[in-house]
Amino acid sequence: MRPVDEERRAPGRRADHPGADRRGTERHRTVRDLDEAADEALRVLGAALFDELDALADRLALSVLRHERCYLELDLVDELRQACRVNLLRGIEVLADAVPDGVDPGDTTRETGRQRARQGVPLEAVLHAYRLGCRILWDALRTASRTRFDGAYDAGLLDAAGFVLRTNDGSSALLVDAYRHEEHRMRGRDLGRRRATLDALLAGRGRDPGFARDAAAILGLPSGGPVLCVVGGIDRAGCDPLRDPHETLAAHRIASFWMLREDELVGLVAPSPRRAGEVPRILEAQVAGRVGLSAAVADLGAADAAYRMARTALRTLAGPGLAVLDDRLPEALLADSPELLPRVLDAGLGGLPALPEADRAVLLETLEALLAHGGSPTHAAQALFCHRNTVIYRMRRIEAVTGRRISEPRDRLLLSLGVMAARTAGAAGPDAPAPGPDQDGDTRGR
C-alpha cells in the first residue's frame, strides 16, 4: 500500500473535532495490535467519517426503529437518535485512534447500558442496535476507501477487520455488564422499597388511604377489594412452606405479593370478592409446611389485622398443613391467649397430659374420636378400627383421669377445649405450659 502524506489525510479529519490533533493516549495505541497498513487504513478512514457523523446517526436510528419497535413504544425516538450519534462518534474516535486524552473509550457504552436498563429496553434490543451500528460503521469505512481514496485502503481495511470486530465485541461486553449491573441495582432498590412498604402495611400504616393506594401500586395489587394474608413458617432446614404460590394464584387470575421476612413467608392475596373463598382450595395443593391463612379483610388498609389473624392461625398448627382461621377459631383463641393454656388443660384434661407418652397418645386419640362422634363408643370404635369394648374401657380411663363425663354437655365442652389446648400447646413448641403430675383433678368445679 502506498504511503499517504499529511495533505492527503487532511480532508478526512475535522479540524474542529476534539481529537483532531491528538492520537489518543498510549493505552489506546498499544491495544490496537495492528500492522502498519491496517493501522493507517483505520486512522485515515476513521478520520474521514467525522464529517459523515450526523448522516450515519440518522441511518442507524432509522435502522434500529425498523427492527426494534420497543423504542417507539417507549417514546424514545429522539433519545435513540442522540445515543446513536454519541456512540458512533466514540466508535469513530476509537477506529481513528483519536479518543481525547483522559477519556475512557468505554464510558459512552456503559452509560448507554445503564440508561437502557432504567428505561426498560430489552437487552436483546440494545445489543441488536450495537450490531447494526458496527455494520453501518464498517460499510462507511469501505465506502470512504473507495469513493474518497480510490480504494487505496481496501487491503489495509480488510486486514483491520478482526480488530473492528473485536472492538465491537468488547463494547458489547461492556454494555451487557453495565446493563445487568444497573438492572441488579434497580431490583435491589425496588426490593428494598417493596419490603419497606410491606413492613409499613403490616405495622398499620395502611389506615392512611393515600399510603394504601401507593402501597397497592408498589406491590402490584388492586387498590380496592378484599385482601387475605398468608403466613408460612420457615423451618430450620429453610424449606419453603408453600410451593410457587404467586404463580399458582396468577394462573387463577388472582393477584398476590410475597416476601420472606426473617423466619416467615408473608403473602398478601387480593382476589375479587366472589373468589375470596377459593383461595384456601387453590393454596392447599401447594402446602409443604405450616401455613396460616387469615379471614378476608375489606381492603389493603386492614392488612395489619389480616397479618395478625394469619399468624394466629399458623400458631394452631403442630405440623405441616393449611390452617384457615375461620375453620379453627377455638384453637385460634387458645393460641392467642397463652396464659389460658395451662388452665384449660387442667380444667379439661386433668391428669391425662401427665400420663406416660404411649398411654397419653392412645387416650387422646380415643377422646378425639368419641368427641367427634357425639360420645358414641360404637361409632368411635369404627373410626379407630378397634373393638367397641376397647373404646368403652378407654373411655372409663379417660373419665377417671380427667374427672369429666363425656355424656355431660358442659364436661364434653371442657374436654373438647382440653384436647384443643393440648394440640395448641404442641404447636407452640416444647416450652408451652402444661400441668404437672402433682395437679389434683378433684379441685376443679363442674
Side-chain angles (χ1 to χ4, degrees):
M1 177 178 292
R2 62 180 184 273
V4 180
D5 56 26
E6 292 299 322
E7 183 180 356
R8 188 166 185 179
R9 291 189 190 195
R13 177 70 63 88
R14 281 175 29 188
D16 61 343
H17 183 265
D21 297 321
R22 289 195 289 268
R23 298 285 293 265
T25 65
E26 182 66 24
R27 178 164 59 92
H28 298 143
R29 289 198 298 271
T30 56
V31 297
R32 288 173 74 85
D33 192 24
L34 292 165
D35 61 35
E36 184 178 352
D39 186 54
E40 184 177 24
L42 286 183
R43 290 179 190 277
V44 174
L45 297 176
L49 297 186
F50 285 123
D51 292 333
E52 302 178 29
L53 177 59
D54 287 318
L56 292 174
D58 290 339
R59 180 182 167 193
L60 176 56
L62 289 173
S63 181
V64 172
L65 290 172
R66 278 197 302 269
H67 291 89
E68 302 295 345
R69 302 289 296 176
C70 59
Y71 290 94
L72 288 169
E73 295 166 358
L74 294 171
D75 194 21
L76 295 175
V77 175
D78 292 340
E79 200 278 340
L80 171 66
R81 201 276 179 188
Q82 178 60 24
C84 288
R85 189 183 192 283
V86 170
N87 282 278
L88 284 172
L89 173 59
R90 184 50 48 83
I92 293 171
E93 288 175 341
V94 171
L95 295 176
D97 198 19
V99 178
D101 290 332
V103 172
D104 183 347
D107 58 2
T108 55
T109 298
R110 295 188 189 92
E111 179 56 29
T112 298
R114 289 190 289 266
Q115 184 72 7
R116 293 294 179 261
R118 290 192 290 267
Q119 293 165 336
V121 180
L123 179 58
E124 295 79 4
V126 187
L127 286 173
H128 189 200
Y130 260 68
R131 289 195 297 271
L132 291 173
C134 180
R135 186 183 306 168
I136 285 174
L137 273 183
W138 180 252
D139 289 344
L141 291 170
R142 292 172 55 203
T143 300
S145 175
R146 294 174 183 176
T147 61
R148 300 182 65 168
F149 300 101
D150 300 325
Y153 296 105
D154 285 0
L157 185 60
L158 183 61
D159 291 339
F163 170 78
V164 174
L165 292 175
R166 287 194 302 275
T167 299
N168 183 70
D169 288 345
S171 294
S172 298
L174 285 177
L175 180 134
V176 170
D177 287 345
Y179 185 102
R180 289 179 173 162
H181 184 271
E182 183 67 13
E183 195 175 42
H184 180 74
R185 189 189 69 81
M186 290 192 303
R187 267 201 306 266
R189 183 186 63 188
D190 291 344
L191 180 63
R193 188 183 183 199
R194 291 194 295 268
R195 184 181 298 279
T197 300
L198 177 64
D199 289 344
L201 282 174
L202 302 187
R205 281 198 60 196
R207 307 295 177 182
D208 175 358
F211 181 84
R213 284 193 300 271
D214 292 343
I218 292 169
L219 302 184
L221 297 173
S223 57
V227 170
L228 298 92
C229 184
V230 182
V231 175
I234 306 296
D235 60 23
R236 293 179 181 178
C239 298
D240 291 339
L242 277 169
R243 294 181 292 265
D244 302 321
H246 183 272
E247 292 77 6
T248 300
L249 289 165
H252 290 81
R253 298 184 179 180
I254 296 177
S256 65
F257 173 80
W258 301 84
M259 181 163 285
L260 288 172
R261 299 175 77 244
E262 298 180 357
D263 60 348
E264 63 184 17
L265 171 69
V266 176
L268 295 177
V269 182
S272 63
R274 64 184 181 82
R275 302 197 66 189
E278 300 177 24
V279 174
R281 174 186 58 80
I282 294 170
L283 289 179
E284 191 167 20
Q286 306 305 116
V287 171
R290 296 167 54 246
V291 180
L293 176 63
S294 75
V297 295
D299 52 36
L300 203 59
D304 57 325
Y307 174 62
R308 290 192 296 271
M309 287 190 283
R311 293 193 74 190
T312 297
L314 175 66
R315 288 197 297 272
T316 68
L317 290 172
L322 176 66
V324 180
L325 182 75
D326 284 348
D327 295 341
R328 300 175 68 85
L329 288 175
E331 294 91 340
L333 289 171
L334 290 171
D336 241 11
S337 304
E339 69 279 0
L340 292 181
L341 276 178
R343 307 307 307 155
V344 174
L345 277 169
D346 182 38
L349 299 185
L352 194 153
L355 293 175
E357 183 178 354
D359 283 351
R360 181 173 69 247
V362 169
L363 293 183
L364 270 177
E365 181 185 32
T366 303
L367 177 55
E368 286 184 287
L370 285 165
L371 293 170
H373 294 87
S376 167
T378 301
H379 294 144
Q382 292 172 351
L384 294 169
F385 300 101
C386 64
H387 197 277
R388 179 176 179 274
N389 290 341
T390 301
V391 173
I392 293 174
Y393 168 74
R394 293 177 185 173
M395 183 174 67
R396 289 171 180 167
R397 286 195 65 197
I398 291 169
E399 292 182 340
V401 77
T402 62
R404 303 292 177 188
R405 293 187 180 277
I406 295 175
S407 59
E408 294 288 335
R410 180 175 174 78
D411 283 1
R412 191 160 58 246
L413 173 60
L414 287 170
L415 287 167
S416 297
L417 290 173
V419 170
M420 291 179 186
R423 300 306 185 199
T424 301
D431 296 330
D438 57 339
Q439 291 172 312
D440 186 359
D442 295 336
T443 62
R444 301 183 312 274
R446 294 190 179 180

